[in-house]
Amino acid sequence: MDLVHSRADLAAGRAALDGPVAVVMTMGALHQGHKALLREARARADRVVATIFVNPLQFGPNEDFDRYPRTLDADLAVCAAAGVDLVFAPDRTEMYPAGEPTVRVNPGPLGEQFEGASRPGFFHGVLTVVLKLLQLTRPDLTFFGEKDYQQLTLVKRMVRDLDVPVEVVGVPTVRESDGLALSSRNRYLSEVERGTALTLSRALRAGVEAARRGEDAEKAARAVFDGSAADLDYLVLTDPELGPAPAHGPGRLLVAARVGKTRLIDNAAVEVA
């Protein structure tokens, strides 16, 4: 496995990769969810590129950019074990040599809802860095986790609308045995807060079961938060493309909540009877 930090070295390393190439973009602090992405990439492509970059564009002024976990040595060990061929780990000036870009990708109306409403400008930053990394790595496939379902949906739309020649593949959310969705931010949680964080997955399960019975999925899921220490941000039922909730058929239930100082998100597929 080769580790590169500069655009020039990335270009040279990428030129040496033959056959179909997959890229997995991360902000580091890799966990089992990232390992699942890397496994899928390894299974679908001849060569795998991983990127590790904590993107400042997607952090608001009061968010956790400075304390976001940075564990490069451990991340490289995960990548090596997963059979990654090339790791691109640039610093801020390498990614944004002219400073923060004045031209950014506009995610459209969907980018201002849900996560975008709670974190203004978030998806402008996400899509901008994703597009830059797609340009720099030139993959045939790219893999994103369904845990960040709105991000996955918007990346697919960007690739479609801007004619980016890459296949975007979604990978199911990886969970702990108790149902907690894996996230790099879980390490912020105290033991008590981790128990509180299970409210999100319990709410989703309640909503999924209610939808299956033909009952109000949102109402059932919200009821799980009653009396919980988790501070609910939003909980909404949509169609699979994050449009209006379906009267029947497949949908998606999304939730975001703050547990202590940590903000968590989760989602689940539902079938409305």
Side-chain angles (χ1 to χ4, degrees):
M1 184 180 75
D2 292 325
L3 169 65
V4 297
H5 300 285
S6 71
R7 291 164 176 256
D9 289 342
L10 172 63
R14 174 63 182 86
L17 300 180
D18 54 354
V21 174
V23 65
V24 175
M25 302 177 195
T26 82
M27 293 206 301
L30 303 186
H31 50 64
Q32 292 295 331
H34 296 105
K35 291 180 183 179
L37 297 176
L38 294 170
R39 282 196 301 272
E40 288 296 317
R42 181 78 275 169
R44 291 279 305 273
D46 290 348
R47 302 291 186 176
V48 178
V49 177
T51 69
I52 300 174
F53 177 64
V54 183
N55 177 35
L57 300 190
Q58 66 194 71
F59 288 81
N62 298 313
E63 294 186 340
D64 58 343
F65 176 74
D66 289 331
R67 72 179 184 125
Y68 194 87
R70 291 161 171 83
T71 57
L72 182 59
D73 289 343
D75 297 339
L76 293 176
V78 170
C79 289
V84 172
D85 297 283
L86 180 64
V87 177
F88 179 46
D91 62 17
R92 188 170 185 164
T93 56
E94 193 67 28
M95 278 302 297
Y96 303 117
E100 292 194 356
T102 56
V103 175
R104 304 189 187 193
V105 177
N106 187 330
L110 177 58
E112 310 305 330
Q113 300 177 48
F114 315 135
E115 284 300 285
S118 297
R119 306 176 68 186
F122 172 67
F123 286 117
H124 296 73
V126 169
L127 294 186
T128 298
V129 78
V130 167
L131 184 57
K132 284 172 69 71
L133 288 169
L134 289 175
Q135 300 277 33
L136 291 169
T137 59
R138 296 179 289 106
D140 300 286
L141 306 100
T142 184
F143 293 77
F144 287 84
E146 290 185 356
K147 204 238 353 158
D148 298 288
Y149 192 80
Q150 189 176 5
Q151 172 181 274
L152 170 62
T153 302
L154 284 168
V155 169
K156 286 182 175 180
R157 290 190 183 186
M158 177 186 72
V159 163
R160 177 197 69 194
D161 292 350
L162 301 184
D163 297 312
V164 183
V166 65
E167 178 184 351
V168 181
V169 182
V171 177
T173 302
V174 178
R175 300 181 180 277
E176 299 280 6
S177 59
D178 56 10
L180 182 66
L182 289 180
S183 168
S184 299
R185 289 186 169 95
N186 287 351
R187 65 186 66 199
Y188 296 158
L189 300 170
S190 68
E191 185 175 349
V192 171
E193 289 171 341
R194 194 189 179 289
T196 301
L198 294 175
T199 306
L200 280 77
S201 57
R202 285 200 297 265
L204 291 175
R205 286 197 299 272
V208 168
E209 290 302 317
R212 187 174 295 147
R213 296 190 298 267
E215 300 171 1
D216 189 326
E218 283 190 25
K219 182 179 180 181
R222 287 179 183 276
V224 177
F225 280 88
D226 292 344
S228 169
D231 182 15
L232 182 62
D233 182 353
Y234 63 79
L235 192 154
V236 61
L237 176 65
T238 73
D239 71 13
E241 297 299 316
L242 301 183
H248 58 82
R252 205 83 190 185
L253 192 61
L254 298 97
V255 63
R258 189 169 293 278
V259 178
K261 295 182 178 180
T262 304
R263 190 171 179 283
L264 301 173
I265 63 173
D266 203 349
N267 69 89
V270 302
E271 188 70 26
V272 180

